[in-house]
Amino acid sequence: IAMTYTALATLRICGSALHGVNIRGVKALVQAVQDPDGSFRPHPGECERDVRFMFCAAACCHFISDWSAFDTDTAMAKLLECFSHEGGFGLHPGLEAHGGSTYCSVAAMVLMGKLEEFGEWRRQRLVEWCLRRQIGGFQGRINKDPDSCYSFWVGACLHMLGAAPLIDVESVQAFCSTCEKSSTGGFGKAPDARADVLHTYMSLAGYSLSAEAARIRARLDAGGASESHPAAHSEGGRAGESEDEE
C-alpha cells in the first residue's frame, strides 16, 4: 500500500488524471490490507500493522476519489486507540507518541473527513504536544534532538489542526538553514549530517509550510479571518464524496 500511495502521488504531481490506473485494483488492495479492527498492514498476509499504512490507504482513496473499500468508522476507532497519554499518536496502541505517526494519524483523519470526531479536548492536547516538539527546529519525540524532517511532519500537523500561527517560524527556518549543505547542495537531518534526498524534500516542505504560517499570522494580525490548511493532499475527494467509476 505504501508503494501504491507513492505511485499515485507521483502521478498526481506529474499532472496525471489517473485514467490509466486500475482503480478497481487499488480498491481491492485497500480492502485487502484493512483488518476488521480498523488497522492496516502494508500488504496482504501476516505482517505488521500501524498508522503509516492507514494514512497510505486513506491517501490512495483520496487520490482516486472513492472510499467504498475503506471502512472509515473502524479506522477512526483504531486511531483513537493510538492516541497516547502524552498527547500525540503512536504507531499503534500503547506506543510512544512520535512526529511521524502523529502526522499519519492527523492526515488520515483529515482525508477521511473525521477530524471533528477527534474532539476539541484531544485537539488541544495534540496542539500542545506538537508545540512542545519545537526546540528551535522540531524534534520527533520527547528528549530527542531536532531533525529537519519534522519541520514538515510536526509543522504539517499544526497546519491541519488550525494552529499554524503558533509556530515559531523564524526559529524553524533558522534551524533548517543550518542543515543545508553548501558544498553538495541539499539538506541533512541535522547541521552535522550529510545531505540526503529525503531530508532535502522534508526541509523544503517545512520551509513552504513555515512561510504559509507566517502569511496566516500576518493576516490574523491585520484582522483577517483564520484559515484551515489541511497539509495532506490537495487532489481527490474526502470520505463520503466518492465518484462512480466510468
Side-chain angles (χ1 to χ4, degrees):
I1 195 68
M3 293 302 99
T4 301
Y5 155 66
T6 302
L8 292 175
T10 301
L11 288 169
R12 281 293 201 182
I13 291 169
C14 292
S16 171
L18 306 183
H19 293 315
V21 173
N22 180 357
I23 301 300
R24 287 188 177 88
V26 173
K27 291 164 57 179
L29 177 63
V30 169
Q31 189 170 39
V33 298
Q34 184 173 17
D35 284 353
D37 69 351
S39 60
F40 283 78
R41 58 186 72 198
H43 52 77
E46 188 57 38
C47 50
E48 61 185 329
R49 301 160 180 81
D50 65 58
V51 297
R52 296 173 298 176
F53 311 121
M54 182 185 296
F55 162 71
C56 291
C60 288
C61 293
H62 179 76
F63 283 136
I64 66 175
S65 299
D66 190 329
W67 290 81
S68 59
F70 190 115
D71 187 336
T72 59
D73 290 335
T74 58
M76 184 63 191
K78 178 58 64 175
L79 283 179
L80 292 178
E81 292 178 12
C82 296
F83 189 63
S84 79
H85 68 279
E86 305 155 89
F89 286 90
L91 282 173
H92 56 79
L95 288 190
E96 179 184 17
H98 184 276
S101 51
T102 296
Y103 169 82
C104 289
S105 300
V106 176
M109 286 191 290
V110 170
L111 293 171
M112 291 189 295
K114 288 186 171 289
L115 190 57
E116 289 187 3
E117 294 182 22
F118 187 51
E120 181 58 23
W121 71 271
R122 291 190 188 93
R123 191 196 73 84
Q124 290 180 2
R125 285 192 63 202
L126 181 53
V127 167
E128 292 171 0
W129 183 87
C130 290
L131 290 174
R132 288 197 297 270
R133 302 286 69 74
Q134 185 167 14
I135 51 174
F138 283 100
Q139 60 183 181
R141 48 198 171 106
I142 296 171
N143 292 328
K144 292 295 183 179
D145 292 333
D147 182 321
S148 61
C149 69
Y150 295 109
S151 61
F152 173 76
W153 295 125
V154 180
C157 290
L158 289 167
H159 276 261
M160 290 187 285
L161 295 167
L166 301 178
I167 296 172
D168 184 341
V169 172
E170 293 76 15
S171 293
V172 70
Q173 290 185 343
F175 173 75
C176 285
S177 68
T178 66
C179 299
E180 187 174 11
K181 309 304 171 185
S182 59
S183 59
T184 62
F187 293 78
K189 64 180 291 184
D192 58 351
R194 68 175 61 185
D196 63 78
V197 172
L198 185 148
H199 286 89
T200 298
Y201 160 53
M202 294 298 177
S203 295
L204 291 174
Y207 260 115
S208 178
L209 287 177
S210 62
E212 178 62 16
R215 286 191 288 270
I216 296 170
R217 184 189 301 167
R219 284 195 293 270
L220 290 174
D221 291 343
S226 180
E227 298 179 9
S228 176
H229 294 268
H233 294 286
S234 59
E235 300 287 345
R238 291 187 179 185
E241 297 178 353
S242 300
E243 298 177 357
D244 293 334
E245 291 183 34
E246 296 182 355

